[in-house]
Amino acid sequence: KAGVTQTPRYLIKTRGQQVTLSCSPISGHRSVSWYQQTPGQGLQFLFEYFSETQRNKGNFPGRFSGRQFSNSRSEMNVSTLELGDSALYLCASSLVGAGVVREQYFGPGTRLTVT
Amino acid sequence: DQQVKQNSPSLSVQEGRISILNCDYTNSMFDYFLWYKKYPAEGPTFLISISSIKDKNEDGRFTVFLNKSAKHLSLHIVPSQPGDSAVYFCAASIQGAQKLVFGQGTRLTINP
């Protein structure tokens, strides 16, 4: 079974621009979560989607948004990029019904650099 | 606030010996705990998990111990192998909350 895939793997953007990252979960996984990893803050939860609905959101500004499609693929968008948004953005999928997320399986991440 | 803490940023162990990675948590609502391993330029890889109703879970060379009264968990790797060199993250979740809370990670180096 193919793992979680994320595109693009690397991205360089300029301050003020916006960016969209894509994630395809493991086949059959309906829950998709997004995390931001930075050297100073570690892995921070952004949001989680299940059946096209955002079920939980982390403590990030409204510039960070996401969505999930009917095939469980997910995108996250960051508008008005700031230098501090430079990070590794990780997507994780989980095999779960309407209950609680437990084991999550991560993709390789998208490395975003804002200049 | 840091609800999940890994106080050792790094650990060096000789090949063949036991590696013990530690993690402390503050939120008593956490009821499920996980360990992930991460190589550079890759996403975290799930290793092993434990529910709060258990105090031990084993999977091959990996064993996780949970001490609820101390709010402490540990990952034991026996015997340690060079391929175990990576950053290890512990994570916790609360039933009903759809997210994992991660520690800051411990860099494990296995020396030949």
Side-chain angles (χ1 to χ4, degrees), chain B residues 27-68:
Chain B
N27 193 335
S28 56
M29 298 293 289
F30 287 141
D31 69 340
Y32 202 79
F33 304 89
L34 309 90
W35 284 94
Y36 286 85
K37 173 181 177 181
K38 188 178 185 300
Y39 293 119
E42 294 183 13
T45 301
F46 169 72
L47 276 176
I48 191 168
S49 59
I50 187 167
S51 165
S52 61
I53 63 173
K54 296 185 176 181
D55 53 19
K56 178 182 173 181
N57 189 26
E58 264 181 286
D59 185 1
R61 296 186 299 115
F62 302 93
T63 303
V64 56
F65 294 92
L66 176 62
N67 182 335
K68 290 185 289 295

Side-chain angles (χ1 to χ4, degrees), chain A residues 44-57:
Chain A
Q44 302 283 313
F45 172 79
L46 280 157
F47 27 66
E48 187 256 354
Y49 287 88
F50 177 81
S51 291
E52 302 177 65
T53 300
Q54 186 182 90
R55 296 198 294 186
N56 203 3
K57 192 176 191 312

Side-chain angles (χ1 to χ4, degrees), chain A residues 11 13-20 77-81:
Chain A
L11 206 49
K13 289 285 189 178
T14 304
R15 268 181 301 176
Q17 288 185 315
Q18 76 166 23
V19 66
T20 298
N77 184 76
V78 188
S79 62
T80 320
L81 283 165

Side-chain angles (χ1 to χ4, degrees), chain A residues 55-76:
Chain A
R55 296 198 294 186
N56 203 3
K57 192 176 191 312
N59 192 22
F60 279 82
R63 300 185 297 106
F64 292 81
S65 62
R67 59 177 176 168
Q68 187 181 33
F69 302 94
S70 58
N71 62 359
S72 294
R73 192 177 69 84
S74 177
E75 288 181 348
M76 69 162 281

Side-chain angles (χ1 to χ4, degrees), chain B residues 9 25 44-45 59 92 99 101:
Chain B
Y25 62 95
T45 301
D59 185 1
K99 70 177 187 179
V101 179

